[in-house]
Each structure stands twice: as structure tokens, then as C-alpha cells.
Amino acid sequence: MTKFETQYTLIKTLLNLLLLFLPLLSFAKTIGFQENKGQIINQYQKSNFAITHTLRLENFNVNLTKKGFNYDFYKYNNDKITTHRLEFIFRNHNKDFEVIKSDKIEYYENIISNKGELLISFYQKITYKDFYPNIDLEFYITENPQKPFEYNFILHPGADISSIQFDIKGANKFVKSNEIEFKLRFGTLIETLPKSWIVNPNNN
């Protein structure tokens, strides 16, 4: 690769999520990433501003946080709700990254809270710009009902892929071939290992 190509080349790493549950869950079509204006609360009934956006799916939510993201799985059994959280916490990332919201959906919700009336917008893609030096973390919705959510790392020229490090909390994990398998309370989550490709804007 020439110096010219290196300068204008983006290396895009795709982390595909393949969600397999036992028993298999059916995913309703999602609305989009809901921005957090204080309507999302924690277990102490206080606004949880550690979450930037939430994606509501059938039987689980994806919460984008200031440290990464997590899955909140839940199951109703009569009057009881059983939950299980799986967290992806990134190490040594830029604390001042920019949150970019794009592909806004023509839908909104009005929520009345102790903070007054909140107008909540929804988006199909959220980008953490410069999450690491020259590296963006991108979350987006897909058309696949079995894999409704994906995330990418986009490496710009000068990026060091080894700076991407994270801890996974909330489940035992097993690495098998090109997959990571997580044992959850409700079944199994399987995440495929990264696929990568090079994009040269000059050559489309």
C-alpha cells in the first residue's frame, strides 16, 4: 500500500452480533435508539445519565453508556420480572468523545416527568466520535430481525487497533473458533469475532 493510499484509507472493523437464544426469541421491529433526557432511571428511581441512548427490543434492551454498552435481558413470569445484564466496558477510552446522532426517525415520544415535559427523539445510528484516538465506535440498527443491532469500530489513518480493549461482565464466556459464547440466565448469546475490510474513498 502506498503512502498516499494509507493517508486516505479507512480500516473498518465490523463486529457482527449473532443473537441465538434457547428458547429462540422473536424480535419485534425496533423504533430506534431513544435519546436519554433524564427519563431513564436506575434502581434507585434516579435519572441515569450514564446511559446516552437505549434501544428497546422484545425481551431485552441495548443501553449505550459513557463507558461502552450493555444488554438488559428480562423475562416476565406472572407478576415477577427476572433480569440479566451483560456489560461491555471499554478501557482507557477518551472520556470527552463526541456523540453524533444520525438517521433520525420521524417519530417521537412525549414523556411527563418531575423534570417537566420531555420530547424524546429516536435515531437509527449513534456514533461515538474519537472514542479512541482516530477511532470511532458506531452503533446502528439493521434490517435483520435475528440480528437487529450491530456495532463497528472505524479506524482512521494513524489509529492503533491495539488500543481497543474492553472487559465483559455478567456472564461466563467461552471462545470457540471464530465465536464467543456467553451463558445467560435465559439461554445463550453468541457473538462472532471481527470481520475487517479496507475502504478507499477515492476508489469507492
PDB file of all heavy atoms in Angstrom, residues 20-45:
ATOM      1  N   LEU A  20     -28.432 -15.723  19.457  1.00  0.00           N
ATOM      2  CA  LEU A  20     -29.114 -17.003  19.455  1.00  0.00           C
ATOM      3  C   LEU A  20     -29.552 -17.320  20.871  1.00  0.00           C
ATOM      4  O   LEU A  20     -28.729 -17.332  21.791  1.00  0.00           O
ATOM      5  CB  LEU A  20     -28.180 -18.112  18.944  1.00  0.00           C
ATOM      6  CG  LEU A  20     -27.647 -17.934  17.525  1.00  0.00           C
ATOM      7  CD1 LEU A  20     -26.688 -19.073  17.200  1.00  0.00           C
ATOM      8  CD2 LEU A  20     -28.779 -17.908  16.526  1.00  0.00           C
ATOM      9  N   PHE A  21     -30.816 -17.539  21.065  1.00  0.00           N
ATOM     10  CA  PHE A  21     -31.331 -17.785  22.392  1.00  0.00           C
ATOM     11  C   PHE A  21     -32.024 -19.135  22.456  1.00  0.00           C
ATOM     12  O   PHE A  21     -32.614 -19.585  21.475  1.00  0.00           O
ATOM     13  CB  PHE A  21     -32.330 -16.697  22.813  1.00  0.00           C
ATOM     14  CG  PHE A  21     -31.700 -15.356  22.950  1.00  0.00           C
ATOM     15  CD1 PHE A  21     -31.693 -14.467  21.888  1.00  0.00           C
ATOM     16  CD2 PHE A  21     -31.096 -14.983  24.128  1.00  0.00           C
ATOM     17  CE1 PHE A  21     -31.096 -13.233  22.010  1.00  0.00           C
ATOM     18  CE2 PHE A  21     -30.502 -13.745  24.258  1.00  0.00           C
ATOM     19  CZ  PHE A  21     -30.500 -12.874  23.194  1.00  0.00           C
ATOM     20  N   LEU A  22     -31.942 -19.772  23.603  1.00  0.00           N
ATOM     21  CA  LEU A  22     -32.667 -21.001  23.872  1.00  0.00           C
ATOM     22  C   LEU A  22     -33.602 -20.759  25.048  1.00  0.00           C
ATOM     23  O   LEU A  22     -33.137 -20.576  26.173  1.00  0.00           O
ATOM     24  CB  LEU A  22     -31.680 -22.128  24.193  1.00  0.00           C
ATOM     25  CG  LEU A  22     -30.653 -22.437  23.111  1.00  0.00           C
ATOM     26  CD1 LEU A  22     -29.690 -23.495  23.615  1.00  0.00           C
ATOM     27  CD2 LEU A  22     -31.339 -22.904  21.837  1.00  0.00           C
ATOM     28  N   PRO A  23     -34.924 -20.699  24.869  1.00  0.00           N
ATOM     29  CA  PRO A  23     -35.572 -20.873  23.573  1.00  0.00           C
ATOM     30  C   PRO A  23     -35.381 -19.633  22.695  1.00  0.00           C
ATOM     31  O   PRO A  23     -35.101 -18.564  23.194  1.00  0.00           O
ATOM     32  CB  PRO A  23     -37.040 -21.024  23.939  1.00  0.00           C
ATOM     33  CG  PRO A  23     -37.176 -20.252  25.206  1.00  0.00           C
ATOM     34  CD  PRO A  23     -35.872 -20.470  25.963  1.00  0.00           C
ATOM     35  N   LEU A  24     -35.540 -19.786  21.384  1.00  0.00           N
ATOM     36  CA  LEU A  24     -35.320 -18.684  20.449  1.00  0.00           C
ATOM     37  C   LEU A  24     -36.347 -17.595  20.663  1.00  0.00           C
ATOM     38  O   LEU A  24     -37.538 -17.845  20.716  1.00  0.00           O
ATOM     39  CB  LEU A  24     -35.398 -19.208  19.016  1.00  0.00           C
ATOM     40  CG  LEU A  24     -35.097 -18.193  17.918  1.00  0.00           C
ATOM     41  CD1 LEU A  24     -33.632 -17.771  17.999  1.00  0.00           C
ATOM     42  CD2 LEU A  24     -35.377 -18.810  16.553  1.00  0.00           C
ATOM     43  N   LEU A  25     -35.889 -16.356  20.761  1.00  0.00           N
ATOM     44  CA  LEU A  25     -36.779 -15.219  20.936  1.00  0.00           C
ATOM     45  C   LEU A  25     -37.103 -14.616  19.585  1.00  0.00           C
ATOM     46  O   LEU A  25     -36.264 -14.569  18.697  1.00  0.00           O
ATOM     47  CB  LEU A  25     -36.110 -14.150  21.822  1.00  0.00           C
ATOM     48  CG  LEU A  25     -35.672 -14.584  23.219  1.00  0.00           C
ATOM     49  CD1 LEU A  25     -34.980 -13.428  23.914  1.00  0.00           C
ATOM     50  CD2 LEU A  25     -36.854 -15.063  24.030  1.00  0.00           C
ATOM     51  N   SER A  26     -38.307 -14.119  19.423  1.00  0.00           N
ATOM     52  CA  SER A  26     -38.650 -13.386  18.209  1.00  0.00           C
ATOM     53  C   SER A  26     -38.500 -11.899  18.493  1.00  0.00           C
ATOM     54  O   SER A  26     -38.946 -11.414  19.524  1.00  0.00           O
ATOM     55  CB  SER A  26     -40.088 -13.700  17.776  1.00  0.00           C
ATOM     56  OG  SER A  26     -41.002 -13.311  18.774  1.00  0.00           O
ATOM     57  N   PHE A  27     -37.854 -11.170  17.593  1.00  0.00           N
ATOM     58  CA  PHE A  27     -37.578  -9.764  17.804  1.00  0.00           C
ATOM     59  C   PHE A  27     -38.616  -8.906  17.088  1.00  0.00           C
ATOM     60  O   PHE A  27     -38.791  -9.019  15.879  1.00  0.00           O
ATOM     61  CB  PHE A  27     -36.183  -9.403  17.284  1.00  0.00           C
ATOM     62  CG  PHE A  27     -35.084 -10.114  18.013  1.00  0.00           C
ATOM     63  CD1 PHE A  27     -34.369 -11.118  17.390  1.00  0.00           C
ATOM     64  CD2 PHE A  27     -34.786  -9.787  19.314  1.00  0.00           C
ATOM     65  CE1 PHE A  27     -33.359 -11.773  18.052  1.00  0.00           C
ATOM     66  CE2 PHE A  27     -33.770 -10.447  19.990  1.00  0.00           C
ATOM     67  CZ  PHE A  27     -33.057 -11.445  19.357  1.00  0.00           C
ATOM     68  N   ALA A  28     -39.278  -8.056  17.840  1.00  0.00           N
ATOM     69  CA  ALA A  28     -40.193  -7.107  17.207  1.00  0.00           C
ATOM     70  C   ALA A  28     -39.371  -6.028  16.506  1.00  0.00           C
ATOM     71  O   ALA A  28     -38.229  -5.755  16.877  1.00  0.00           O
ATOM     72  CB  ALA A  28     -41.096  -6.485  18.266  1.00  0.00           C
ATOM     73  N   LYS A  29     -39.942  -5.411  15.491  1.00  0.00           N
ATOM     74  CA  LYS A  29     -39.226  -4.346  14.786  1.00  0.00           C
ATOM     75  C   LYS A  29     -39.022  -3.176  15.738  1.00  0.00           C
ATOM     76  O   LYS A  29     -39.950  -2.677  16.353  1.00  0.00           O
ATOM     77  CB  LYS A  29     -40.015  -3.906  13.556  1.00  0.00           C
ATOM     78  CG  LYS A  29     -39.278  -2.877  12.715  1.00  0.00           C
ATOM     79  CD  LYS A  29     -40.025  -2.603  11.443  1.00  0.00           C
ATOM     80  CE  LYS A  29     -39.315  -1.554  10.595  1.00  0.00           C
ATOM     81  NZ  LYS A  29     -37.959  -1.952  10.235  1.00  0.00           N
ATOM     82  N   THR A  30     -37.797  -2.745  15.848  1.00  0.00           N
ATOM     83  CA  THR A  30     -37.477  -1.693  16.800  1.00  0.00           C
ATOM     84  C   THR A  30     -37.804  -0.312  16.220  1.00  0.00           C
ATOM     85  O   THR A  30     -37.859  -0.136  15.001  1.00  0.00           O
ATOM     86  CB  THR A  30     -35.994  -1.751  17.181  1.00  0.00           C
ATOM     87  OG1 THR A  30     -35.709  -0.716  18.126  1.00  0.00           O
ATOM     88  CG2 THR A  30     -35.116  -1.538  15.964  1.00  0.00           C
ATOM     89  N   ILE A  31     -38.004   0.641  17.089  1.00  0.00           N
ATOM     90  CA  ILE A  31     -38.222   2.022  16.654  1.00  0.00           C
ATOM     91  C   ILE A  31     -36.883   2.677  16.344  1.00  0.00           C
ATOM     92  O   ILE A  31     -36.682   3.253  15.280  1.00  0.00           O
ATOM     93  CB  ILE A  31     -38.958   2.815  17.749  1.00  0.00           C
ATOM     94  CG1 ILE A  31     -40.344   2.209  17.988  1.00  0.00           C
ATOM     95  CG2 ILE A  31     -39.082   4.286  17.354  1.00  0.00           C
ATOM     96  CD1 ILE A  31     -41.068   2.823  19.159  1.00  0.00           C
ATOM     97  N   GLY A  32     -35.954   2.581  17.278  1.00  0.00           N
ATOM     98  CA  GLY A  32     -34.658   3.211  17.097  1.00  0.00           C
ATOM     99  C   GLY A  32     -34.015   3.493  18.445  1.00  0.00           C
ATOM    100  O   GLY A  32     -34.554   3.143  19.504  1.00  0.00           O
ATOM    101  N   PHE A  33     -32.850   4.114  18.411  1.00  0.00           N
ATOM    102  CA  PHE A  33     -32.155   4.483  19.640  1.00  0.00           C
ATOM    103  C   PHE A  33     -32.845   5.692  20.261  1.00  0.00           C
ATOM    104  O   PHE A  33     -32.918   6.765  19.669  1.00  0.00           O
ATOM    105  CB  PHE A  33     -30.696   4.822  19.349  1.00  0.00           C
ATOM    106  CG  PHE A  33     -29.862   3.649  18.937  1.00  0.00           C
ATOM    107  CD1 PHE A  33     -29.543   3.447  17.601  1.00  0.00           C
ATOM    108  CD2 PHE A  33     -29.404   2.745  19.876  1.00  0.00           C
ATOM    109  CE1 PHE A  33     -28.776   2.368  17.209  1.00  0.00           C
ATOM    110  CE2 PHE A  33     -28.632   1.659  19.494  1.00  0.00           C
ATOM    111  CZ  PHE A  33     -28.320   1.463  18.153  1.00  0.00           C
ATOM    112  N   GLN A  34     -33.329   5.519  21.462  1.00  0.00           N
ATOM    113  CA  GLN A  34     -34.036   6.574  22.195  1.00  0.00           C
ATOM    114  C   GLN A  34     -33.020   7.422  22.964  1.00  0.00           C
ATOM    115  O   GLN A  34     -32.234   6.892  23.755  1.00  0.00           O
ATOM    116  CB  GLN A  34     -35.018   5.914  23.170  1.00  0.00           C
ATOM    117  CG  GLN A  34     -35.672   6.860  24.147  1.00  0.00           C
ATOM    118  CD  GLN A  34     -36.416   6.133  25.255  1.00  0.00           C
ATOM    119  OE1 GLN A  34     -36.814   6.738  26.245  1.00  0.00           O
ATOM    120  NE2 GLN A  34     -36.592   4.814  25.110  1.00  0.00           N
ATOM    121  N   GLU A  35     -33.000   8.723  22.717  1.00  0.00           N
ATOM    122  CA  GLU A  35     -32.081   9.587  23.446  1.00  0.00           C
ATOM    123  C   GLU A  35     -32.514   9.699  24.904  1.00  0.00           C
ATOM    124  O   GLU A  35     -33.695   9.619  25.236  1.00  0.00           O
ATOM    125  CB  GLU A  35     -32.023  10.972  22.806  1.00  0.00           C
ATOM    126  CG  GLU A  35     -33.339  11.716  22.795  1.00  0.00           C
ATOM    127  CD  GLU A  35     -33.255  13.048  22.079  1.00  0.00           C
ATOM    128  OE1 GLU A  35     -32.123  13.480  21.782  1.00  0.00           O
ATOM    129  OE2 GLU A  35     -34.306  13.659  21.822  1.00  0.00           O
ATOM    130  N   ASN A  36     -31.540   9.855  25.782  1.00  0.00           N
ATOM    131  CA  ASN A  36     -31.820   9.951  27.217  1.00  0.00           C
ATOM    132  C   ASN A  36     -31.782  11.410  27.660  1.00  0.00           C
ATOM    133  O   ASN A  36     -30.735  12.047  27.664  1.00  0.00           O
ATOM    134  CB  ASN A  36     -30.795   9.141  28.010  1.00  0.00           C
ATOM    135  CG  ASN A  36     -31.080   9.154  29.504  1.00  0.00           C
ATOM    136  OD1 ASN A  36     -32.159   9.545  29.937  1.00  0.00           O
ATOM    137  ND2 ASN A  36     -30.128   8.696  30.288  1.00  0.00           N
ATOM    138  N   LYS A  37     -32.945  11.920  28.029  1.00  0.00           N
ATOM    139  CA  LYS A  37     -33.043  13.283  28.557  1.00  0.00           C
ATOM    140  C   LYS A  37     -33.379  13.291  30.044  1.00  0.00           C
ATOM    141  O   LYS A  37     -33.790  14.311  30.584  1.00  0.00           O
ATOM    142  CB  LYS A  37     -34.101  14.062  27.782  1.00  0.00           C
ATOM    143  CG  LYS A  37     -33.700  14.391  26.348  1.00  0.00           C
ATOM    144  CD  LYS A  37     -34.697  15.333  25.697  1.00  0.00           C
ATOM    145  CE  LYS A  37     -34.209  15.782  24.325  1.00  0.00           C
ATOM    146  NZ  LYS A  37     -35.172  16.737  23.687  1.00  0.00           N
ATOM    147  N   GLY A  38     -33.171  12.152  30.680  1.00  0.00           N
ATOM    148  CA  GLY A  38     -33.451  12.050  32.109  1.00  0.00           C
ATOM    149  C   GLY A  38     -34.605  11.127  32.419  1.00  0.00           C
ATOM    150  O   GLY A  38     -34.887  10.850  33.590  1.00  0.00           O
ATOM    151  N   GLN A  39     -35.280  10.616  31.362  1.00  0.00           N
ATOM    152  CA  GLN A  39     -36.427   9.735  31.588  1.00  0.00           C
ATOM    153  C   GLN A  39     -36.010   8.315  31.941  1.00  0.00           C
ATOM    154  O   GLN A  39     -36.813   7.545  32.467  1.00  0.00           O
ATOM    155  CB  GLN A  39     -37.330   9.726  30.348  1.00  0.00           C
ATOM    156  CG  GLN A  39     -36.862   8.852  29.187  1.00  0.00           C
ATOM    157  CD  GLN A  39     -35.791   9.488  28.333  1.00  0.00           C
ATOM    158  OE1 GLN A  39     -35.268  10.534  28.664  1.00  0.00           O
ATOM    159  NE2 GLN A  39     -35.470   8.849  27.217  1.00  0.00           N
ATOM    160  N   ILE A  40     -34.746   7.961  31.667  1.00  0.00           N
ATOM    161  CA  ILE A  40     -34.249   6.628  32.010  1.00  0.00           C
ATOM    162  C   ILE A  40     -33.746   6.660  33.450  1.00  0.00           C
ATOM    163  O   ILE A  40     -32.881   7.465  33.796  1.00  0.00           O
ATOM    164  CB  ILE A  40     -33.128   6.200  31.053  1.00  0.00           C
ATOM    165  CG1 ILE A  40     -33.675   6.125  29.616  1.00  0.00           C
ATOM    166  CG2 ILE A  40     -32.544   4.857  31.462  1.00  0.00           C
ATOM    167  CD1 ILE A  40     -32.624   5.846  28.573  1.00  0.00           C
ATOM    168  N   ILE A  41     -34.284   5.788  34.271  1.00  0.00           N
ATOM    169  CA  ILE A  41     -33.963   5.809  35.700  1.00  0.00           C
ATOM    170  C   ILE A  41     -33.245   4.530  36.107  1.00  0.00           C
ATOM    171  O   ILE A  41     -33.325   3.507  35.427  1.00  0.00           O
ATOM    172  CB  ILE A  41     -35.232   6.005  36.554  1.00  0.00           C
ATOM    173  CG1 ILE A  41     -36.239   4.873  36.296  1.00  0.00           C
ATOM    174  CG2 ILE A  41     -35.862   7.366  36.275  1.00  0.00           C
ATOM    175  CD1 ILE A  41     -37.473   4.945  37.185  1.00  0.00           C
ATOM    176  N   ASN A  42     -32.552   4.603  37.236  1.00  0.00           N
ATOM    177  CA  ASN A  42     -31.865   3.431  37.767  1.00  0.00           C
ATOM    178  C   ASN A  42     -32.718   2.753  38.834  1.00  0.00           C
ATOM    179  O   ASN A  42     -33.890   3.104  39.031  1.00  0.00           O
ATOM    180  CB  ASN A  42     -30.488   3.821  38.334  1.00  0.00           C
ATOM    181  CG  ASN A  42     -30.598   4.876  39.442  1.00  0.00           C
ATOM    182  OD1 ASN A  42     -31.635   5.028  40.092  1.00  0.00           O
ATOM    183  ND2 ASN A  42     -29.511   5.604  39.644  1.00  0.00           N
ATOM    184  N   GLN A  43     -32.129   1.779  39.521  1.00  0.00           N
ATOM    185  CA  GLN A  43     -32.881   1.021  40.521  1.00  0.00           C
ATOM    186  C   GLN A  43     -33.274   1.861  41.734  1.00  0.00           C
ATOM    187  O   GLN A  43     -34.119   1.455  42.532  1.00  0.00           O
ATOM    188  CB  GLN A  43     -32.084  -0.210  40.981  1.00  0.00           C
ATOM    189  CG  GLN A  43     -30.799   0.093  41.737  1.00  0.00           C
ATOM    190  CD  GLN A  43     -29.596   0.207  40.840  1.00  0.00           C
ATOM    191  OE1 GLN A  43     -29.713   0.676  39.710  1.00  0.00           O
ATOM    192  NE2 GLN A  43     -28.439  -0.243  41.320  1.00  0.00           N
ATOM    193  N   TYR A  44     -32.663   3.054  41.853  1.00  0.00           N
ATOM    194  CA  TYR A  44     -32.992   3.958  42.959  1.00  0.00           C
ATOM    195  C   TYR A  44     -33.971   5.042  42.530  1.00  0.00           C
ATOM    196  O   TYR A  44     -34.166   6.028  43.239  1.00  0.00           O
ATOM    197  CB  TYR A  44     -31.707   4.597  43.508  1.00  0.00           C
ATOM    198  CG  TYR A  44     -30.662   3.576  43.898  1.00  0.00           C
ATOM    199  CD1 TYR A  44     -29.497   3.436  43.145  1.00  0.00           C
ATOM    200  CD2 TYR A  44     -30.845   2.739  45.000  1.00  0.00           C
ATOM    201  CE1 TYR A  44     -28.541   2.494  43.474  1.00  0.00           C
ATOM    202  CE2 TYR A  44     -29.885   1.792  45.346  1.00  0.00           C
ATOM    203  CZ  TYR A  44     -28.744   1.681  44.579  1.00  0.00           C
ATOM    204  OH  TYR A  44     -27.787   0.733  44.917  1.00  0.00           O
ATOM    205  N   GLN A  45     -34.568   4.859  41.347  1.00  0.00           N
ATOM    206  CA  GLN A  45     -35.551   5.789  40.790  1.00  0.00           C
ATOM    207  C   GLN A  45     -34.968   7.179  40.538  1.00  0.00           C
ATOM    208  O   GLN A  45     -35.662   8.182  40.612  1.00  0.00           O
ATOM    209  CB  GLN A  45     -36.776   5.889  41.724  1.00  0.00           C
ATOM    210  CG  GLN A  45     -37.468   4.562  41.993  1.00  0.00           C
ATOM    211  CD  GLN A  45     -37.928   3.884  40.694  1.00  0.00           C
ATOM    212  OE1 GLN A  45     -38.641   4.486  39.911  1.00  0.00           O
ATOM    213  NE2 GLN A  45     -37.532   2.632  40.495  1.00  0.00           N
TER     214      GLN A  45
END
